[in-house]
Amino acid sequence: MSVGLDKRPNPAFYALLVALILMSAGPIAVMIITSLKLNVDIMSETAGLLFVPTVQNYETALCNMLWYEPAHVDYCDPTFGRALVNSLIIAIVSTAITLVIGCMAAYALVRFRFLGRDAMSMTTLLMRMVPPAVLLVPVFGIWTFQFGIDGTRSGIILVYVAMNLPFVIWILQSFIVQVPIQLEEAARMDGAGPLQTFFLVVLPVIKPGLAAAAIFTFRIAWNEFLLANALSDRSSRTVPVTIVNSLTEYDIDWGVIMATGTLLAIPPIIFTFIASRQIITGMTAGAVKG
Amino acid sequence: MSIQRASRLTPYVFLAPAAAVMAIALLYPVCYMIYASFLDWNPSQRIGEADWIGLRNYINLLSDESFHESFWVTLKFAALVVGAEMVIGVGLALILDRKLRGMSVLRTIFILPMMIAPIVVGLVWRYMYHPTVGLFNRTLADIGVSPVPWLSDGDWAFASVVIADVWQWTPFIFILSLAALQSLPQSALEASRIDGASGWQQIWHIKLPLMMPVLVVTGLLRLIDAFKVLEVILVLTNGGPGLSTEILALRISRTASEFRELGYAAAMANYLLILLMVLTLGMYFYNKVIEARAVRLRKAAAAAAAKEEGA
């Protein structure tokens, strides 16, 4: 089409690309490689890429979930395995709830004119910026003294749903606006009620938007540390909390901690590779819509 | 009659669950916090037992040296981080805006850093900054440079924290500005090329001005997020050494959990909230102004077109 685009890029351009890829993926690769090393290899002066990979660190972290007893583990610490289960339950349940009630609210805000609509969208916008650090004090007080749900998984799920709702509502609005209204009118002609129209007609059309919203919600619930730290007790701790707890000033067991970090990073990495297109669409929609 | 009422109630039925959850777990806590900021309250008390001390928390904060310090650190951090990310991100977008075969793979790799947990980002960088086993000091030792106190010296620690955040979030700016670049009207670029504009002139006089609305919003979004950063710094330095990297969010959480002064922490959180609210409203109104201008321009264009047709 244009002259500039057809010109072959010069070698410096490719060098830049390679450098960028190395810079953005390098630290993650460092983590994964370290998690496959024995502490001897991590500490040794000459270490680099020359080492015998081992899964011992993963066995130590997951010892109570394995079907065999790894020979090198003297004492099995079940903290991490339990936290992994907690994290999975909390992230999946809160994502599911957030999506269902979030897309219903977004639909109402886009398709209906009603009293309180502006107030609701303004609140949604303002609540989007409330940082977890600000919620820390009140949520701790209310959950402990008034609701009595501190230290439970449902307490953490409740705050995650609330925290993610404004963003999910905001992002789904921009997808619902694009659904042709004729589709819904046709469904209504055929005698579908509003709920039927929504679940059977609108939802299938905005699937890409839902995917993006789901990934963003899951990512926040899966990665969040501060509120989980304040609200959980020994039995409901999530993975980020256990990782921070095991980070003492001195004598960090780098191999094992990198293994836990890798395990925490794997689900988001998988999502990124499966659905990068949806993630980027969602990111763009979220930003452009402000 | 009943059908009419049902349809009028419909939006409320759709909204009810979300509104209820947000009211209970978001709006109520925020109001609760505003109330708590007027109390002298520690975590072992119920809120009813705490003493009402009026504005004293707010006034004490104004003369609290370490609050000043962390407010200043937060501002410095946010400004530096967003500045660096905007320059690098937009620059890379301008350079890489070509038709490349592997572009989607490239973008996928670029968004990895912001998808993984901030805790993990902190962990990875803390390992790489490690004084003896870390990648950086090892490399420096290999080329014969003396080791750098990445996390143990105040200024270096601040720089290290900024570097980690720039690594994590520059791709965000890059991807949004690339999207903006690729949706620019081709006709304007085409016209300027025919008029003989050089690459630089095109960037300065056409691409950047046209991208400006998106860039402003992106920058503001990043700025709001930069004020919320906590986990990466918590893992890397925990605010230290001294107070050199103690940003406001971290100070709030430490005031609440270590110093056990919930009222004081709440007042601090309120200051942060006011700051964020100003930024958010600024972004909102900027968007409105831009939209209004676009509508006006479209109208003017339509009117001009109609006139031409009439003539």
Side-chain angles (χ1 to χ4, degrees):
Chain A
M1 190 181 76
S2 58
V3 194
L5 290 178
D6 294 337
K7 220 167 41 181
R8 278 198 83 79
N10 55 21
F13 182 76
Y14 286 109
L16 175 72
L17 279 186
V18 172
L20 285 177
I21 291 172
L22 273 182
M23 270 200 285
S24 56
I28 299 171
V30 165
M31 172 175 74
I32 297 172
I33 291 169
T34 312
S35 75
L36 296 172
K37 279 182 182 177
L38 290 175
N39 276 339
V40 188
D41 290 322
I42 295 174
M43 295 301 164
S44 92
E45 284 289 330
T46 53
L49 289 168
L50 288 172
F51 66 98
V52 186
T54 167
V55 289
Q56 279 199 14
N57 294 321
Y58 291 90
E59 287 176 334
T60 311
L62 296 171
C63 59
N64 64 326
M65 300 174 81
L66 298 173
W67 59 95
Y68 59 92
E69 274 184 41
H72 62 94
V73 179
D74 306 327
Y75 163 72
C76 178
D77 182 3
T79 325
F80 183 78
R82 210 163 44 200
L84 200 59
V85 175
N86 283 332
S87 267
L88 275 174
I89 294 175
I90 290 173
I92 291 172
V93 172
S94 68
T95 305
I97 298 177
T98 315
L99 274 192
V100 172
I101 66 182
C103 63
M104 284 168 65
Y107 182 66
L109 287 174
V110 171
R111 279 291 185 257
F112 297 93
R113 298 279 167 272
F114 57 92
L115 191 68
R117 177 174 174 275
D118 291 338
M120 182 75 186
S121 35
M122 200 64 196
T123 321
T124 320
L125 174 76
L126 284 180
M127 285 299 141
R128 216 184 104 178
M129 57 153 205
V130 175
V134 168
L135 284 177
L136 180 68
V137 175
V139 162
F140 173 76
I142 296 171
W143 266 231
T144 310
F145 295 123
Q146 295 184 344
F147 298 168
I149 49 172
D150 59 310
T152 63
R153 287 184 200 139
S154 32
I156 302 176
I157 291 174
L158 175 61
V159 73
Y160 284 174
V161 171
M163 218 169 64
N164 279 318
L165 265 177
F167 181 70
V168 165
I169 293 177
W170 202 258
I171 215 171
L172 286 180
Q173 277 182 320
S174 63
F175 284 94
I176 293 177
V177 170
Q178 294 166 9
V179 178
I181 192 100
Q182 290 85 348
L183 264 182
E184 291 169 56
E185 275 161 3
R188 215 163 294 141
M189 293 298 195
D190 292 343
L195 282 173
Q196 271 174 309
T197 316
F198 175 67
F199 281 106
L200 300 177
V201 178
V202 178
L203 276 196
V205 181
I206 58 166
K207 258 189 205 147
L210 286 176
I215 290 171
F216 284 113
T217 316
F218 181 90
R219 167 181 150 248
I220 291 178
W222 177 257
N223 292 346
E224 208 277 338
F225 159 76
L226 191 64
L227 291 167
N229 186 42
L231 293 177
S232 63
D233 62 11
R234 280 178 57 85
S235 62
S236 55
R237 256 176 219 156
T238 58
V239 175
V241 180
T242 57
I243 289 184
V244 172
N245 284 347
S246 57
L247 265 178
T248 45
E249 281 296 315
Y250 307 99
D251 194 31
I252 296 173
D253 192 344
W254 282 111
V256 173
I257 213 164
M258 286 303 191
T260 56
T262 306
L263 287 172
L264 185 65
I266 283 176
I269 292 179
I270 292 175
F271 285 136
T272 312
F273 276 104
I274 295 177
S276 64
R277 189 183 302 266
Q278 279 83 353
I279 294 173
I280 290 168
T281 317
M283 225 168 352
T284 322
V288 174
K289 289 257 93 189
Chain B
M1 180 68 201
S2 75
I3 292 172
Q4 184 110 49
R5 188 180 302 149
S7 70
R8 196 169 296 164
L9 280 177
T10 310
Y12 296 106
V13 173
F14 275 101
L15 264 182
V21 171
M22 275 162 62
I24 293 173
L26 214 53
L27 217 51
Y28 175 49
V30 169
C31 297
Y32 190 92
M33 182 200 58
I34 294 173
Y35 173 64
S37 69
F38 299 112
L39 303 175
D40 179 17
W41 182 30
N42 74 60
S44 55
Q45 290 171 307
R46 289 177 159 270
I47 193 164
E49 301 161 6
D51 292 326
W52 177 271
I53 55 167
L55 285 171
R56 208 184 304 153
N57 282 329
Y58 290 94
I59 294 165
N60 287 348
L61 274 176
L62 288 182
S63 57
D64 181 341
E65 285 293 324
S66 40
F67 174 69
H68 288 176
E69 182 66 30
S70 58
F71 198 79
W72 172 235
V73 168
T74 313
L75 287 184
K76 210 165 58 168
F77 176 80
L80 261 176
V81 155
V82 175
E85 284 164 14
M86 288 303 282
V87 171
I88 304 174
V90 175
L92 286 178
L94 288 171
I95 297 173
L96 298 182
D97 177 27
R98 328 187 174 200
K99 295 214 164 44
L100 277 181
R101 193 166 294 161
M103 202 54 199
S104 64
V105 181
L106 208 60
R107 280 193 298 192
T108 308
I109 291 172
F110 283 170
I111 55 179
L112 278 180
M114 51 181 147
M115 296 302 287
I116 63 176
I119 291 289
V120 173
V121 172
L123 201 62
V124 171
W125 283 87
R126 181 156 164 186
Y127 176 72
M128 294 197 300
Y129 286 138
H130 193 280
T132 52
V133 302
L135 185 70
F136 294 139
N137 274 356
R138 281 240 167 103
T139 315
L140 288 180
D142 284 346
I143 55 174
V145 181
S146 58
V148 169
W150 292 106
L151 297 175
S152 49
D153 169 84
D155 292 334
W156 276 108
F158 187 79
S160 307
V161 167
V162 169
I163 293 173
D165 194 88
V166 169
W167 173 76
Q168 194 186 4
W169 286 105
T170 302
F172 177 75
I173 312 267
F174 167 73
I175 282 173
L176 290 186
S177 17
L178 191 62
L181 259 179
Q182 291 176 340
S183 61
L184 291 185
Q186 286 300 320
S187 54
L189 295 177
E190 208 59 46
S192 72
R193 206 171 293 129
I194 292 167
D195 288 347
S198 71
W200 279 110
Q201 283 172 327
Q202 263 194 342
I203 289 175
W204 270 120
H205 299 291
I206 298 177
K207 288 183 180 170
L208 282 181
L210 283 175
M211 284 162 75
M212 216 19 112
V214 179
L215 291 187
V216 170
V217 171
T218 313
L220 278 171
L221 269 183
R222 261 314 290 152
L223 199 61
I224 292 172
D225 278 347
F227 284 111
K228 298 187 193 174
V229 172
L230 182 134
E231 281 118 326
V232 176
I233 299 184
L234 177 91
V235 172
L236 274 179
T237 64
N238 197 15
L243 294 178
S244 53
T245 55
E246 188 168 82
I247 53 156
L248 216 45
L250 197 56
R251 176 136 201 100
I252 293 170
S253 111
R254 286 183 69 188
T255 311
S257 53
E258 280 175 38
F259 315 140
R260 303 172 70 79
E261 296 179 70
L262 296 184
Y264 207 52
M268 222 181 288
N270 267 339
Y271 276 130
L272 179 60
L273 208 53
I274 292 170
L275 185 71
L276 290 175
M277 185 127 26
V278 170
L279 284 175
T280 309
L281 287 177
M283 183 171 80
Y284 180 76
F285 287 114
Y286 180 81
N287 257 343
K288 285 271 165 225
V289 169
I290 291 289
E291 265 168 39
R293 206 177 67 181
V295 169
R296 216 168 50 230
L297 284 179
R298 240 189 327 243
K299 264 197 194 134
K307 218 180 197 176
E308 209 143 280
E309 230 158 74

